[in-house]
Amino acid sequence: GRLGAGCIDADIAVHLDRPGPVTRLTYGQGGPVDLPLPCGGSVRIALIHRPDPDWLGAIWDDRIRRRTGHWCVNLRSGQPCRADQPDAEDFHLTLPPPPAFQIHGEGDEANALTALVAALDLPILGREARPDAHSAVVTLFHDHDRELPPLIRALQSDAFYIGALGSTRAQDARLRALADQGVARADLDRLHGPIGVVGQGRDPRLIAASTLTQILAAYEARLP
């Protein structure tokens, strides 16, 4: 990503080849007077010049297996450690996998949401995959009878977000139908509907953007 709206990136790059395991930099208050931050305050950077390749491999393994990694990095030596082995000079890192999306439906809303998720380079699960705790499941059917099987499977999983397209009236009918199928009250309370942060949306692109915003906000809220 870009730091300080990009205004300090070039200066950070100047320090990449400095000797030593770690270079500590400060920008904004307490840093170079010619590199103020546009938002005020300050930011401290630690450049780890030769990160342990085994550590980077372990981070990648956590990511592809969709596990949350809990790490610490020593800011003197640049050496990693597991978070249950802290030192006074350690910086703690929690590295969750990105949210994955399971999208059910064939209409314009499903196509629009799939395109937005793909544009963000976020994982898209197959429709028969079992969602994990870092997954969101959305059904976007106008024929609400078709949504019940994927919703039941989702409510039996650890998915952090489950939502279904439709009005408040449709949500009430959906909850009754799921209860008739034996879904417990506690699981029904996990089901979002109507979905999205913008009420009464009609345009499929607006529905998709509104739903994506709600899902990403829910994911950020659950991070430590």
mmCIF file of all heavy atoms in Angstrom, residues 166-216:
data_model
loop_
_atom_site.group_PDB
_atom_site.id
_atom_site.type_symbol
_atom_site.label_atom_id
_atom_site.label_comp_id
_atom_site.label_asym_id
_atom_site.label_seq_id
_atom_site.Cartn_x
_atom_site.Cartn_y
_atom_site.Cartn_z
ATOM 1 N N GLY A 166 -33.695 -9.198 -0.629
ATOM 2 C CA GLY A 166 -35.137 -9.132 -0.457
ATOM 3 C C GLY A 166 -35.558 -8.049 0.523
ATOM 4 O O GLY A 166 -34.743 -7.497 1.267
ATOM 5 N N SER A 167 -36.840 -7.785 0.537
ATOM 6 C CA SER A 167 -37.432 -6.766 1.403
ATOM 7 C C SER A 167 -37.600 -7.292 2.823
ATOM 8 O O SER A 167 -37.321 -8.467 3.117
ATOM 9 C CB SER A 167 -38.799 -6.368 0.848
ATOM 10 O OG SER A 167 -39.676 -7.489 0.900
ATOM 11 N N THR A 168 -38.091 -6.428 3.699
ATOM 12 C CA THR A 168 -38.397 -6.856 5.066
ATOM 13 C C THR A 168 -39.460 -7.937 5.063
ATOM 14 O O THR A 168 -39.384 -8.909 5.833
ATOM 15 C CB THR A 168 -38.855 -5.648 5.896
ATOM 16 O OG1 THR A 168 -37.812 -4.665 5.920
ATOM 17 C CG2 THR A 168 -39.178 -6.052 7.322
ATOM 18 N N ARG A 169 -40.454 -7.786 4.183
ATOM 19 C CA ARG A 169 -41.485 -8.820 4.082
ATOM 20 C C ARG A 169 -40.879 -10.155 3.646
ATOM 21 O O ARG A 169 -41.217 -11.212 4.189
ATOM 22 C CB ARG A 169 -42.563 -8.385 3.091
ATOM 23 C CG ARG A 169 -43.703 -9.386 2.973
ATOM 24 C CD ARG A 169 -44.666 -8.967 1.870
ATOM 25 N NE ARG A 169 -45.213 -7.637 2.124
ATOM 26 C CZ ARG A 169 -46.020 -7.004 1.272
ATOM 27 N NH1 ARG A 169 -46.331 -7.552 0.104
ATOM 28 N NH2 ARG A 169 -46.485 -5.813 1.574
ATOM 29 N N ALA A 170 -39.972 -10.096 2.660
ATOM 30 C CA ALA A 170 -39.315 -11.321 2.213
ATOM 31 C C ALA A 170 -38.474 -11.932 3.331
ATOM 32 O O ALA A 170 -38.427 -13.162 3.484
ATOM 33 C CB ALA A 170 -38.444 -11.030 0.993
ATOM 34 N N GLN A 171 -37.824 -11.092 4.121
ATOM 35 C CA GLN A 171 -37.019 -11.602 5.234
ATOM 36 C C GLN A 171 -37.899 -12.306 6.263
ATOM 37 O O GLN A 171 -37.530 -13.377 6.770
ATOM 38 C CB GLN A 171 -36.230 -10.464 5.890
ATOM 39 C CG GLN A 171 -35.471 -10.822 7.147
ATOM 40 C CD GLN A 171 -34.203 -11.635 6.890
ATOM 41 O OE1 GLN A 171 -33.964 -12.092 5.767
ATOM 42 N NE2 GLN A 171 -33.395 -11.830 7.920
ATOM 43 N N ASP A 172 -39.045 -11.742 6.567
ATOM 44 C CA ASP A 172 -39.945 -12.384 7.527
ATOM 45 C C ASP A 172 -40.389 -13.752 7.028
ATOM 46 O O ASP A 172 -40.415 -14.734 7.789
ATOM 47 C CB ASP A 172 -41.160 -11.489 7.780
ATOM 48 C CG ASP A 172 -40.808 -10.207 8.526
ATOM 49 O OD1 ASP A 172 -39.739 -10.178 9.165
ATOM 50 O OD2 ASP A 172 -41.598 -9.240 8.464
ATOM 51 N N ALA A 173 -40.748 -13.820 5.739
ATOM 52 C CA ALA A 173 -41.160 -15.104 5.165
ATOM 53 C C ALA A 173 -40.007 -16.091 5.161
ATOM 54 O O ALA A 173 -40.175 -17.299 5.409
ATOM 55 C CB ALA A 173 -41.696 -14.888 3.752
ATOM 56 N N ARG A 174 -38.807 -15.595 4.881
ATOM 57 C CA ARG A 174 -37.605 -16.439 4.845
ATOM 58 C C ARG A 174 -37.333 -17.037 6.218
ATOM 59 O O ARG A 174 -37.020 -18.231 6.341
ATOM 60 C CB ARG A 174 -36.440 -15.576 4.392
ATOM 61 C CG ARG A 174 -35.093 -16.233 4.380
ATOM 62 C CD ARG A 174 -34.038 -15.220 3.972
ATOM 63 N NE ARG A 174 -34.272 -14.692 2.642
ATOM 64 C CZ ARG A 174 -34.391 -13.397 2.345
ATOM 65 N NH1 ARG A 174 -34.304 -12.471 3.295
ATOM 66 N NH2 ARG A 174 -34.602 -13.021 1.103
ATOM 67 N N LEU A 175 -37.435 -16.223 7.249
ATOM 68 C CA LEU A 175 -37.175 -16.702 8.598
ATOM 69 C C LEU A 175 -38.200 -17.764 9.001
ATOM 70 O O LEU A 175 -37.846 -18.758 9.647
ATOM 71 C CB LEU A 175 -37.194 -15.532 9.585
ATOM 72 C CG LEU A 175 -36.063 -14.509 9.432
ATOM 73 C CD1 LEU A 175 -36.274 -13.338 10.387
ATOM 74 C CD2 LEU A 175 -34.706 -15.150 9.669
ATOM 75 N N ARG A 176 -39.457 -17.573 8.615
ATOM 76 C CA ARG A 176 -40.471 -18.582 8.932
ATOM 77 C C ARG A 176 -40.166 -19.897 8.212
ATOM 78 O O ARG A 176 -40.276 -20.983 8.797
ATOM 79 C CB ARG A 176 -41.859 -18.076 8.542
ATOM 80 C CG ARG A 176 -42.393 -16.952 9.436
ATOM 81 C CD ARG A 176 -43.873 -16.736 9.211
ATOM 82 N NE ARG A 176 -44.163 -16.313 7.847
ATOM 83 C CZ ARG A 176 -44.202 -15.034 7.458
ATOM 84 N NH1 ARG A 176 -43.960 -14.069 8.340
ATOM 85 N NH2 ARG A 176 -44.482 -14.717 6.212
ATOM 86 N N ALA A 177 -39.776 -19.792 6.929
ATOM 87 C CA ALA A 177 -39.471 -21.000 6.162
ATOM 88 C C ALA A 177 -38.265 -21.733 6.739
ATOM 89 O O ALA A 177 -38.260 -22.975 6.815
ATOM 90 C CB ALA A 177 -39.227 -20.634 4.699
ATOM 91 N N LEU A 178 -37.254 -20.992 7.164
ATOM 92 C CA LEU A 178 -36.061 -21.623 7.753
ATOM 93 C C LEU A 178 -36.397 -22.260 9.096
ATOM 94 O O LEU A 178 -35.910 -23.358 9.418
ATOM 95 C CB LEU A 178 -34.943 -20.604 7.905
ATOM 96 C CG LEU A 178 -34.289 -20.135 6.599
ATOM 97 C CD1 LEU A 178 -33.399 -18.920 6.858
ATOM 98 C CD2 LEU A 178 -33.470 -21.256 5.963
ATOM 99 N N ALA A 179 -37.254 -21.589 9.882
ATOM 100 C CA ALA A 179 -37.671 -22.169 11.158
ATOM 101 C C ALA A 179 -38.444 -23.467 10.929
ATOM 102 O O ALA A 179 -38.275 -24.443 11.666
ATOM 103 C CB ALA A 179 -38.514 -21.168 11.933
ATOM 104 N N ASP A 180 -39.277 -23.499 9.881
ATOM 105 C CA ASP A 180 -40.017 -24.722 9.554
ATOM 106 C C ASP A 180 -39.072 -25.845 9.157
ATOM 107 O O ASP A 180 -39.407 -27.022 9.302
ATOM 108 C CB ASP A 180 -41.006 -24.450 8.420
ATOM 109 C CG ASP A 180 -42.174 -23.562 8.847
ATOM 110 O OD1 ASP A 180 -42.393 -23.433 10.063
ATOM 111 O OD2 ASP A 180 -42.844 -22.993 7.962
ATOM 112 N N GLN A 181 -37.879 -25.477 8.647
ATOM 113 C CA GLN A 181 -36.868 -26.483 8.272
ATOM 114 C C GLN A 181 -36.018 -26.920 9.469
ATOM 115 O O GLN A 181 -35.081 -27.704 9.312
ATOM 116 C CB GLN A 181 -35.958 -25.915 7.180
ATOM 117 C CG GLN A 181 -36.652 -25.668 5.854
ATOM 118 C CD GLN A 181 -36.942 -26.950 5.105
ATOM 119 O OE1 GLN A 181 -36.183 -27.916 5.204
ATOM 120 N NE2 GLN A 181 -38.034 -26.973 4.359
ATOM 121 N N GLY A 182 -36.324 -26.369 10.644
ATOM 122 C CA GLY A 182 -35.622 -26.783 11.854
ATOM 123 C C GLY A 182 -34.422 -25.931 12.231
ATOM 124 O O GLY A 182 -33.661 -26.306 13.129
ATOM 125 N N VAL A 183 -34.224 -24.770 11.577
ATOM 126 C CA VAL A 183 -33.101 -23.895 11.920
ATOM 127 C C VAL A 183 -33.379 -23.226 13.264
ATOM 128 O O VAL A 183 -34.471 -22.683 13.486
ATOM 129 C CB VAL A 183 -32.878 -22.839 10.825
ATOM 130 C CG1 VAL A 183 -31.732 -21.906 11.217
ATOM 131 C CG2 VAL A 183 -32.579 -23.518 9.494
ATOM 132 N N ALA A 184 -32.411 -23.256 14.149
ATOM 133 C CA ALA A 184 -32.589 -22.724 15.501
ATOM 134 C C ALA A 184 -32.672 -21.196 15.495
ATOM 135 O O ALA A 184 -32.130 -20.531 14.612
ATOM 136 C CB ALA A 184 -31.433 -23.176 16.386
ATOM 137 N N ARG A 185 -33.323 -20.654 16.501
ATOM 138 C CA ARG A 185 -33.489 -19.204 16.627
ATOM 139 C C ARG A 185 -32.148 -18.491 16.657
ATOM 140 O O ARG A 185 -31.985 -17.433 16.034
ATOM 141 C CB ARG A 185 -34.259 -18.908 17.914
ATOM 142 C CG ARG A 185 -34.506 -17.441 18.229
ATOM 143 C CD ARG A 185 -35.587 -16.881 17.355
ATOM 144 N NE ARG A 185 -35.074 -15.997 16.327
ATOM 145 C CZ ARG A 185 -35.821 -15.439 15.396
ATOM 146 N NH1 ARG A 185 -37.104 -15.674 15.338
ATOM 147 N NH2 ARG A 185 -35.281 -14.646 14.490
ATOM 148 N N ALA A 186 -31.177 -19.030 17.362
ATOM 149 C CA ALA A 186 -29.868 -18.374 17.445
ATOM 150 C C ALA A 186 -29.224 -18.277 16.078
ATOM 151 O O ALA A 186 -28.535 -17.291 15.775
ATOM 152 C CB ALA A 186 -28.962 -19.137 18.408
ATOM 153 N N ASP A 187 -29.421 -19.286 15.218
ATOM 154 C CA ASP A 187 -28.860 -19.235 13.880
ATOM 155 C C ASP A 187 -29.628 -18.260 12.997
ATOM 156 O O ASP A 187 -29.036 -17.555 12.172
ATOM 157 C CB ASP A 187 -28.863 -20.630 13.248
ATOM 158 C CG ASP A 187 -27.827 -21.553 13.876
ATOM 159 O OD1 ASP A 187 -26.763 -21.047 14.276
ATOM 160 O OD2 ASP A 187 -28.081 -22.751 13.979
ATOM 161 N N LEU A 188 -30.933 -18.197 13.169
ATOM 162 C CA LEU A 188 -31.732 -17.250 12.392
ATOM 163 C C LEU A 188 -31.296 -15.811 12.671
ATOM 164 O O LEU A 188 -31.346 -14.958 11.782
ATOM 165 C CB LEU A 188 -33.218 -17.423 12.705
ATOM 166 C CG LEU A 188 -33.852 -18.746 12.271
ATOM 167 C CD1 LEU A 188 -35.313 -18.793 12.711
ATOM 168 C CD2 LEU A 188 -33.741 -18.942 10.766
ATOM 169 N N ASP A 189 -30.868 -15.550 13.885
ATOM 170 C CA ASP A 189 -30.436 -14.190 14.242
ATOM 171 C C ASP A 189 -29.170 -13.785 13.504
ATOM 172 O O ASP A 189 -28.833 -12.595 13.461
ATOM 173 C CB ASP A 189 -30.207 -14.099 15.756
ATOM 174 C CG ASP A 189 -31.496 -14.167 16.555
ATOM 175 O OD1 ASP A 189 -32.574 -13.939 15.966
ATOM 176 O OD2 ASP A 189 -31.432 -14.457 17.767
ATOM 177 N N ARG A 190 -28.453 -14.732 12.912
ATOM 178 C CA ARG A 190 -27.236 -14.415 12.162
ATOM 179 C C ARG A 190 -27.533 -13.946 10.744
ATOM 180 O O ARG A 190 -26.625 -13.455 10.065
ATOM 181 C CB ARG A 190 -26.334 -15.656 12.086
ATOM 182 C CG ARG A 190 -25.860 -16.185 13.417
ATOM 183 C CD ARG A 190 -25.199 -17.552 13.251
ATOM 184 N NE ARG A 190 -24.070 -17.485 12.320
ATOM 185 C CZ ARG A 190 -23.600 -18.533 11.671
ATOM 186 N NH1 ARG A 190 -24.169 -19.722 11.806
ATOM 187 N NH2 ARG A 190 -22.562 -18.403 10.839
ATOM 188 N N LEU A 191 -28.762 -14.104 10.299
ATOM 189 C CA LEU A 191 -29.098 -13.865 8.898
ATOM 190 C C LEU A 191 -29.462 -12.402 8.664
ATOM 191 O O LEU A 191 -30.430 -11.895 9.230
ATOM 192 C CB LEU A 191 -30.255 -14.770 8.486
ATOM 193 C CG LEU A 191 -30.754 -14.654 7.056
ATOM 194 C CD1 LEU A 191 -29.631 -14.878 6.052
ATOM 195 C CD2 LEU A 191 -31.899 -15.631 6.820
ATOM 196 N N HIS A 192 -28.683 -11.735 7.818
ATOM 197 C CA HIS A 192 -28.940 -10.335 7.483
ATOM 198 C C HIS A 192 -29.992 -10.241 6.382
ATOM 199 O O HIS A 192 -29.918 -10.932 5.376
ATOM 200 C CB HIS A 192 -27.654 -9.653 6.988
ATOM 201 C CG HIS A 192 -26.607 -9.500 8.024
ATOM 202 N ND1 HIS A 192 -26.425 -8.347 8.742
ATOM 203 C CD2 HIS A 192 -25.676 -10.373 8.484
ATOM 204 C CE1 HIS A 192 -25.426 -8.502 9.585
ATOM 205 N NE2 HIS A 192 -24.953 -9.730 9.451
ATOM 206 N N GLY A 193 -30.937 -9.365 6.570
ATOM 207 C CA GLY A 193 -31.929 -9.094 5.545
ATOM 208 C C GLY A 193 -32.875 -8.004 6.034
ATOM 209 O O GLY A 193 -33.351 -8.088 7.182
ATOM 210 N N PRO A 194 -33.169 -7.002 5.244
ATOM 211 C CA PRO A 194 -32.558 -6.719 3.932
ATOM 212 C C PRO A 194 -31.046 -6.472 4.055
ATOM 213 O O PRO A 194 -30.577 -6.020 5.100
ATOM 214 C CB PRO A 194 -33.280 -5.458 3.458
ATOM 215 C CG PRO A 194 -34.545 -5.397 4.249
ATOM 216 C CD PRO A 194 -34.217 -6.026 5.580
ATOM 217 N N ILE A 195 -30.334 -6.755 2.997
ATOM 218 C CA ILE A 195 -28.882 -6.639 3.018
ATOM 219 C C ILE A 195 -28.447 -5.252 2.548
ATOM 220 O O ILE A 195 -29.171 -4.568 1.832
ATOM 221 C CB ILE A 195 -28.204 -7.720 2.160
ATOM 222 C CG1 ILE A 195 -28.794 -7.733 0.742
ATOM 223 C CG2 ILE A 195 -28.320 -9.074 2.815
ATOM 224 C CD1 ILE A 195 -28.111 -8.710 -0.197
ATOM 225 N N GLY A 196 -27.236 -4.875 2.951
ATOM 226 C CA GLY A 196 -26.648 -3.624 2.475
ATOM 227 C C GLY A 196 -26.795 -2.485 3.455
ATOM 228 O O GLY A 196 -27.583 -2.535 4.398
ATOM 229 N N VAL A 197 -26.009 -1.444 3.219
ATOM 230 C CA VAL A 197 -26.049 -0.246 4.070
ATOM 231 C C VAL A 197 -26.964 0.818 3.505
ATOM 232 O O VAL A 197 -27.247 1.816 4.169
ATOM 233 C CB VAL A 197 -24.625 0.336 4.253
ATOM 234 C CG1 VAL A 197 -23.733 -0.657 4.976
ATOM 235 C CG2 VAL A 197 -24.007 0.730 2.913
ATOM 236 N N VAL A 198 -27.430 0.622 2.271
ATOM 237 C CA VAL A 198 -28.355 1.561 1.636
ATOM 238 C C VAL A 198 -29.702 0.873 1.503
ATOM 239 O O VAL A 198 -29.819 -0.148 0.819
ATOM 240 C CB VAL A 198 -27.853 1.999 0.243
ATOM 241 C CG1 VAL A 198 -28.852 2.936 -0.413
ATOM 242 C CG2 VAL A 198 -26.488 2.670 0.354
ATOM 243 N N GLY A 199 -30.718 1.397 2.183
ATOM 244 C CA GLY A 199 -32.028 0.783 2.139
ATOM 245 C C GLY A 199 -32.754 1.051 0.831
ATOM 246 O O GLY A 199 -32.525 2.062 0.166
ATOM 247 N N GLN A 200 -33.634 0.113 0.471
ATOM 248 C CA GLN A 200 -34.506 0.272 -0.692
ATOM 249 C C GLN A 200 -33.746 0.467 -1.998
ATOM 250 O O GLN A 200 -34.192 1.188 -2.885
ATOM 251 C CB GLN A 200 -35.469 1.460 -0.476
ATOM 252 C CG GLN A 200 -36.296 1.380 0.791
ATOM 253 C CD GLN A 200 -37.173 0.151 0.832
ATOM 254 O OE1 GLN A 200 -37.788 -0.203 -0.163
ATOM 255 N NE2 GLN A 200 -37.216 -0.520 1.980
ATOM 256 N N GLY A 201 -32.586 -0.154 -2.111
ATOM 257 C CA GLY A 201 -31.851 -0.060 -3.366
ATOM 258 C C GLY A 201 -32.527 -0.865 -4.461
ATOM 259 O O GLY A 201 -33.050 -1.954 -4.223
ATOM 260 N N ARG A 202 -32.512 -0.328 -5.692
ATOM 261 C CA ARG A 202 -33.118 -1.014 -6.831
ATOM 262 C C ARG A 202 -32.087 -1.400 -7.879
ATOM 263 O O ARG A 202 -32.179 -2.467 -8.476
ATOM 264 C CB ARG A 202 -34.192 -0.121 -7.477
ATOM 265 C CG ARG A 202 -35.354 0.239 -6.560
ATOM 266 C CD ARG A 202 -36.208 -0.962 -6.244
ATOM 267 N NE ARG A 202 -37.343 -0.618 -5.402
ATOM 268 C CZ ARG A 202 -38.204 -1.505 -4.917
ATOM 269 N NH1 ARG A 202 -38.027 -2.792 -5.168
ATOM 270 N NH2 ARG A 202 -39.210 -1.117 -4.158
ATOM 271 N N ASP A 203 -31.138 -0.517 -8.108
ATOM 272 C CA ASP A 203 -30.130 -0.784 -9.121
ATOM 273 C C ASP A 203 -29.229 -1.924 -8.655
ATOM 274 O O ASP A 203 -28.702 -1.886 -7.545
ATOM 275 C CB ASP A 203 -29.312 0.484 -9.373
ATOM 276 C CG ASP A 203 -28.326 0.315 -10.515
ATOM 277 O OD1 ASP A 203 -27.340 -0.424 -10.341
ATOM 278 O OD2 ASP A 203 -28.541 0.932 -11.576
ATOM 279 N N PRO A 204 -29.029 -2.958 -9.491
ATOM 280 C CA PRO A 204 -28.182 -4.088 -9.077
ATOM 281 C C PRO A 204 -26.782 -3.676 -8.657
ATOM 282 O O PRO A 204 -26.210 -4.263 -7.723
ATOM 283 C CB PRO A 204 -28.157 -4.976 -10.322
ATOM 284 C CG PRO A 204 -29.417 -4.656 -11.048
ATOM 285 C CD PRO A 204 -29.653 -3.194 -10.810
ATOM 286 N N ARG A 205 -26.216 -2.660 -9.311
ATOM 287 C CA ARG A 205 -24.868 -2.227 -8.947
ATOM 288 C C ARG A 205 -24.863 -1.574 -7.576
ATOM 289 O O ARG A 205 -23.915 -1.753 -6.794
ATOM 290 C CB ARG A 205 -24.333 -1.264 -10.009
ATOM 291 C CG ARG A 205 -24.131 -1.915 -11.376
ATOM 292 C CD ARG A 205 -23.929 -0.887 -12.451
ATOM 293 N NE ARG A 205 -25.109 -0.007 -12.562
ATOM 294 C CZ ARG A 205 -25.196 0.998 -13.415
ATOM 295 N NH1 ARG A 205 -24.176 1.286 -14.214
ATOM 296 N NH2 ARG A 205 -26.291 1.743 -13.457
ATOM 297 N N LEU A 206 -25.909 -0.810 -7.262
ATOM 298 C CA LEU A 206 -26.005 -0.192 -5.941
ATOM 299 C C LEU A 206 -26.195 -1.261 -4.873
ATOM 300 O O LEU A 206 -25.585 -1.196 -3.800
ATOM 301 C CB LEU A 206 -27.162 0.805 -5.908
ATOM 302 C CG LEU A 206 -27.459 1.450 -4.544
ATOM 303 C CD1 LEU A 206 -26.245 2.195 -4.016
ATOM 304 C CD2 LEU A 206 -28.668 2.366 -4.636
ATOM 305 N N ILE A 207 -27.042 -2.246 -5.148
ATOM 306 C CA ILE A 207 -27.247 -3.334 -4.187
ATOM 307 C C ILE A 207 -25.922 -4.049 -3.929
ATOM 308 O O ILE A 207 -25.574 -4.350 -2.776
ATOM 309 C CB ILE A 207 -28.311 -4.310 -4.712
ATOM 310 C CG1 ILE A 207 -29.682 -3.629 -4.743
ATOM 311 C CG2 ILE A 207 -28.351 -5.570 -3.853
ATOM 312 C CD1 ILE A 207 -30.754 -4.444 -5.429
ATOM 313 N N ALA A 208 -25.177 -4.330 -4.997
ATOM 314 C CA ALA A 208 -23.901 -5.026 -4.847
ATOM 315 C C ALA A 208 -22.909 -4.200 -4.035
ATOM 316 O O ALA A 208 -22.263 -4.715 -3.111
ATOM 317 C CB ALA A 208 -23.324 -5.346 -6.219
ATOM 318 N N ALA A 209 -22.767 -2.916 -4.361
ATOM 319 C CA ALA A 209 -21.824 -2.061 -3.639
ATOM 320 C C ALA A 209 -22.237 -1.892 -2.183
ATOM 321 O O ALA A 209 -21.397 -1.910 -1.272
ATOM 322 C CB ALA A 209 -21.727 -0.703 -4.328
ATOM 323 N N SER A 210 -23.544 -1.745 -1.947
ATOM 324 C CA SER A 210 -24.045 -1.586 -0.589
ATOM 325 C C SER A 210 -23.804 -2.841 0.240
ATOM 326 O O SER A 210 -23.400 -2.775 1.412
ATOM 327 C CB SER A 210 -25.548 -1.271 -0.656
ATOM 328 O OG SER A 210 -26.122 -1.185 0.623
ATOM 329 N N THR A 211 -24.016 -4.005 -0.369
ATOM 330 C CA THR A 211 -23.803 -5.273 0.325
ATOM 331 C C THR A 211 -22.321 -5.503 0.602
ATOM 332 O O THR A 211 -21.937 -5.918 1.706
ATOM 333 C CB THR A 211 -24.368 -6.428 -0.507
ATOM 334 O OG1 THR A 211 -25.767 -6.201 -0.736
ATOM 335 C CG2 THR A 211 -24.178 -7.760 0.193
ATOM 336 N N LEU A 212 -21.473 -5.224 -0.382
ATOM 337 C CA LEU A 212 -20.038 -5.382 -0.187
ATOM 338 C C LEU A 212 -19.543 -4.490 0.942
ATOM 339 O O LEU A 212 -18.732 -4.907 1.782
ATOM 340 C CB LEU A 212 -19.298 -5.060 -1.483
ATOM 341 C CG LEU A 212 -17.774 -5.167 -1.431
ATOM 342 C CD1 LEU A 212 -17.322 -6.571 -1.081
ATOM 343 C CD2 LEU A 212 -17.171 -4.739 -2.764
ATOM 344 N N THR A 213 -20.033 -3.264 1.003
ATOM 345 C CA THR A 213 -19.649 -2.345 2.081
ATOM 346 C C THR A 213 -20.036 -2.907 3.436
ATOM 347 O O THR A 213 -19.249 -2.874 4.397
ATOM 348 C CB THR A 213 -20.313 -0.977 1.867
ATOM 349 O OG1 THR A 213 -19.893 -0.434 0.611
ATOM 350 C CG2 THR A 213 -19.949 -0.007 2.979
ATOM 351 N N GLN A 214 -21.242 -3.445 3.538
ATOM 352 C CA GLN A 214 -21.699 -4.011 4.810
ATOM 353 C C GLN A 214 -20.843 -5.202 5.230
ATOM 354 O O GLN A 214 -20.471 -5.343 6.399
ATOM 355 C CB GLN A 214 -23.163 -4.437 4.684
ATOM 356 C CG GLN A 214 -23.780 -4.938 5.989
ATOM 357 C CD GLN A 214 -25.237 -5.311 5.807
ATOM 358 O OE1 GLN A 214 -25.592 -6.085 4.918
ATOM 359 N NE2 GLN A 214 -26.100 -4.742 6.637
ATOM 360 N N ILE A 215 -20.504 -6.044 4.267
ATOM 361 C CA ILE A 215 -19.701 -7.236 4.569
ATOM 362 C C ILE A 215 -18.298 -6.841 5.028
ATOM 363 O O ILE A 215 -17.785 -7.361 6.028
ATOM 364 C CB ILE A 215 -19.637 -8.162 3.348
ATOM 365 C CG1 ILE A 215 -21.022 -8.756 3.072
ATOM 366 C CG2 ILE A 215 -18.606 -9.269 3.555
ATOM 367 C CD1 ILE A 215 -21.121 -9.491 1.746
ATOM 368 N N LEU A 216 -17.660 -5.927 4.301
ATOM 369 C CA LEU A 216 -16.305 -5.523 4.669
ATOM 370 C C LEU A 216 -16.286 -4.816 6.019
ATOM 371 O O LEU A 216 -15.346 -4.978 6.805
ATOM 372 C CB LEU A 216 -15.709 -4.642 3.580
ATOM 373 C CG LEU A 216 -15.474 -5.336 2.229
ATOM 374 C CD1 LEU A 216 -14.893 -4.341 1.225
ATOM 375 C CD2 LEU A 216 -14.564 -6.541 2.387
#
